[in-house]
Coordinates of all heavy atoms in Angstrom, one line a residue:
P1 N 0.8 -1.2 0.0 CA 0.0 0.0 0.0 C 0.8 1.3 0.0 O 0.5 2.2 -0.8 CB -0.9 -0.1 1.3 CG -1.0 -1.6 1.4 CD 0.3 -2.2 1.0
I2 N 1.8 1.4 0.9 CA 2.6 2.6 0.9 C 3.4 2.8 -0.4 O 3.4 3.9 -1.0 CB 3.6 2.7 2.1 CG1 2.7 2.8 3.4 CG2 4.5 3.9 2.0 CD1 3.6 2.8 4.7
A3 N 4.0 1.8 -0.9 CA 4.7 1.8 -2.2 C 3.8 2.2 -3.3 O 4.1 3.0 -4.2 CB 5.4 0.5 -2.4
A4 N 2.5 1.7 -3.3 CA 1.6 2.0 -4.3 C 1.2 3.5 -4.3 O 1.1 4.2 -5.3 CB 0.3 1.2 -4.2
S5 N 1.1 4.0 -3.1 CA 0.8 5.5 -2.9 C 2.0 6.3 -3.3 O 1.8 7.4 -3.9 CB 0.5 5.8 -1.4 OG -0.7 5.1 -1.0
V6 N 3.2 5.9 -3.0 CA 4.4 6.7 -3.5 C 4.4 6.7 -5.0 O 4.6 7.7 -5.6 CB 5.7 6.1 -2.9 CG1 6.9 6.7 -3.6 CG2 5.7 6.2 -1.4
L7 N 4.2 5.5 -5.6 CA 4.2 5.4 -7.1 C 3.2 6.4 -7.7 O 3.4 7.0 -8.7 CB 4.0 4.0 -7.5 CG 4.0 3.7 -9.0 CD1 5.4 4.1 -9.6 CD2 3.6 2.3 -9.3
A8 N 2.0 6.3 -7.1 CA 0.9 7.2 -7.6 C 1.2 8.7 -7.4 O 1.0 9.4 -8.4 CB -0.4 6.9 -6.8
G9 N 1.8 9.0 -6.3 CA 2.2 10.4 -6.1 C 3.3 10.9 -7.1 O 3.2 12.0 -7.6
L10 N 4.3 10.0 -7.4 CA 5.3 10.4 -8.3 C 4.8 10.5 -9.7 O 5.2 11.4 -10.5 CB 6.4 9.4 -8.3 CG 7.2 9.3 -7.0 CD1 8.3 8.2 -7.0 CD2 7.9 10.7 -6.7
F11 N 3.8 9.6 -10.1 CA 3.2 9.7 -11.4 C 2.5 11.0 -11.6 O 2.6 11.7 -12.6 CB 2.3 8.5 -11.7 CG 1.6 8.5 -13.0 CD1 2.3 7.9 -14.1 CD2 0.4 9.1 -13.2 CE1 1.6 8.0 -15.3 CE2 -0.3 9.1 -14.4 CZ 0.4 8.5 -15.5
I12 N 1.7 11.4 -10.6 CA 0.9 12.6 -10.7 C 1.8 13.8 -10.8 O 1.6 14.7 -11.6 CB 0.0 12.7 -9.4 CG1 -1.1 11.7 -9.4 CG2 -0.6 14.1 -9.3 CD1 -1.8 11.5 -8.1
S13 N 2.9 13.8 -10.0 CA 3.9 14.9 -10.0 C 4.5 15.0 -11.4 O 4.7 16.1 -11.9 CB 4.9 14.8 -8.9 OG 4.2 14.9 -7.6
A14 N 5.0 13.9 -11.8 CA 5.7 13.8 -13.1 C 4.8 14.3 -14.3 O 5.2 15.1 -15.2 CB 6.4 12.5 -13.4
F15 N 3.6 13.8 -14.3 CA 2.7 14.1 -15.4 C 2.3 15.6 -15.3 O 2.2 16.2 -16.3 CB 1.4 13.2 -15.3 CG 0.5 13.3 -16.5 CD1 0.9 12.8 -17.7 CD2 -0.7 14.0 -16.3 CE1 0.1 13.0 -18.8 CE2 -1.5 14.2 -17.4 CZ -1.1 13.7 -18.7
G16 N 2.2 16.0 -14.1 CA 1.9 17.5 -13.9 C 3.0 18.3 -14.4 O 2.8 19.4 -15.0
A17 N 4.3 17.9 -14.2 CA 5.4 18.6 -14.8 C 5.3 18.7 -16.4 O 5.6 19.7 -16.9 CB 6.7 18.0 -14.4
L18 N 4.9 17.6 -16.9 CA 4.8 17.5 -18.4 C 3.7 18.5 -18.9 O 3.9 19.3 -19.8 CB 4.4 16.1 -18.8 CG 4.1 15.9 -20.4 CD1 5.3 16.4 -21.2 CD2 3.7 14.5 -20.6
I19 N 2.5 18.5 -18.2 CA 1.5 19.5 -18.6 C 2.0 20.9 -18.4 O 1.7 21.8 -19.1 CB 0.2 19.3 -17.7 CG1 -0.3 17.8 -17.9 CG2 -0.9 20.3 -18.0 CD1 -0.7 17.6 -19.4
G20 N 2.9 21.1 -17.3 CA 3.4 22.4 -17.0 C 4.3 22.9 -18.1 O 4.2 24.1 -18.5
I21 N 5.2 22.1 -18.6 CA 6.1 22.6 -19.7 C 5.4 22.8 -21.0 O 5.7 23.8 -21.7 CB 7.3 21.7 -19.9 CG1 6.9 20.3 -20.4 CG2 8.2 21.6 -18.6 CD1 8.1 19.5 -20.9
I22 N 4.4 22.0 -21.3 CA 3.6 22.2 -22.5 C 2.8 23.5 -22.4 O 2.7 24.3 -23.3 CB 2.6 21.0 -22.8 CG1 3.5 19.7 -23.1 CG2 1.7 21.3 -23.9 CD1 2.7 18.5 -23.3
S23 N 2.2 23.8 -21.2 CA 1.5 25.0 -21.0 C 2.4 26.2 -21.1 O 2.0 27.3 -21.6 CB 0.8 24.9 -19.6 OG -0.2 23.9 -19.6
L24 N 3.6 26.1 -20.5 CA 4.5 27.2 -20.6 C 4.9 27.5 -22.0 O 5.0 28.7 -22.5 CB 5.9 26.9 -19.8 CG 5.9 27.3 -18.4 CD1 7.3 27.0 -17.8 CD2 5.6 28.7 -18.1
Y25 N 5.1 26.5 -22.9 CA 5.4 26.7 -24.2 C 4.3 27.4 -24.9 O 4.5 28.4 -25.6 CB 5.6 25.3 -24.9 CG 5.9 25.4 -26.4 CD1 7.2 25.6 -26.9 CD2 4.9 25.5 -27.3 CE1 7.4 25.7 -28.2 CE2 5.1 25.6 -28.7 CZ 6.4 25.7 -29.1 OH 6.7 25.9 -30.5
L26 N 3.0 27.0 -24.7 CA 1.9 27.6 -25.3 C 1.7 29.0 -24.8 O 1.2 29.9 -25.5 CB 0.6 26.8 -25.0 CG 0.6 25.4 -25.6 CD1 -0.6 24.6 -25.1 CD2 0.6 25.4 -27.1
L27 N 2.0 29.3 -23.6 CA 1.9 30.6 -23.0 C 2.9 31.6 -23.6 O 2.5 32.8 -23.7 CB 2.1 30.5 -21.5 CG 1.5 31.5 -20.5 CD1 0.0 31.6 -20.7 CD2 1.8 31.1 -19.1
F28 N 4.1 31.1 -23.9 CA 5.1 32.1 -24.3 C 5.5 32.0 -25.8 O 6.3 32.8 -26.3 CB 6.4 31.7 -23.6 CG 6.3 31.9 -22.1 CD1 7.1 31.2 -21.2 CD2 5.4 32.9 -21.6 CE1 6.9 31.4 -19.8 CE2 5.2 33.0 -20.2 CZ 6.0 32.3 -19.3
E29 N 4.9 31.1 -26.6 CA 5.3 31.0 -28.0 C 5.1 32.2 -28.8 O 6.0 32.6 -29.6 CB 4.5 29.9 -28.6 CG 4.9 29.6 -30.1 CD 4.1 28.4 -30.7 OE1 3.0 28.2 -30.2 OE2 4.6 27.9 -31.7
D30 N 4.0 33.0 -28.5 CA 3.8 34.2 -29.3 C 4.7 35.3 -28.9 O 5.0 36.2 -29.7 CB 2.3 34.7 -29.1 CG 2.0 35.1 -27.6 OD1 2.7 34.5 -26.7 OD2 1.2 35.9 -27.4
K31 N 5.3 35.3 -27.7 CA 6.3 36.3 -27.3 C 7.7 35.9 -27.6 O 8.5 36.8 -27.8 CB 6.1 36.5 -25.7 CG 4.8 37.0 -25.3 CD 4.6 37.2 -23.9 CE 3.3 37.7 -23.5 NZ 2.2 36.8 -23.9
L32 N 8.1 34.7 -27.5 CA 9.4 34.2 -27.6 C 9.7 33.5 -28.9 O 10.9 33.2 -29.2 CB 9.8 33.4 -26.4 CG 9.7 34.0 -25.0 CD1 10.0 33.0 -23.9 CD2 10.6 35.2 -24.9
G33 N 8.7 33.1 -29.6 CA 8.9 32.2 -30.7 C 9.0 30.7 -30.3 O 9.2 30.5 -29.1
A34 N 9.1 29.8 -31.2 CA 9.1 28.4 -30.8 C 10.4 28.0 -30.1 O 10.4 27.3 -29.1 CB 9.1 27.6 -32.1
E35 N 11.5 28.6 -30.6 CA 12.9 28.3 -29.9 C 12.9 28.9 -28.5 O 13.3 28.2 -27.5 CB 14.0 28.9 -30.7 CG 15.3 28.5 -30.2 CD 16.5 29.1 -31.0 OE1 16.2 29.5 -32.2 OE2 17.6 29.1 -30.5
G36 N 12.4 30.1 -28.4 CA 12.5 30.8 -27.1 C 11.5 30.2 -26.0 O 11.8 30.0 -24.9
A37 N 10.3 29.7 -26.5 CA 9.4 29.1 -25.7 C 9.9 27.7 -25.2 O 9.7 27.4 -24.0 CB 8.0 28.9 -26.4
T38 N 10.5 27.0 -26.1 CA 11.2 25.7 -25.7 C 12.3 26.0 -24.7 O 12.4 25.2 -23.7 CB 11.8 25.0 -26.9 OG1 10.7 24.8 -27.9 CG2 12.4 23.7 -26.6

């Protein structure tokens, strides 16, 4: 059970980070261009 909860927490955090960088890219692409947003 504890290991399963740790795994779930890490998955949520990691997937959240992915959504975060994609959102940052979309947020800044018009200001920085594709290279700058990346």
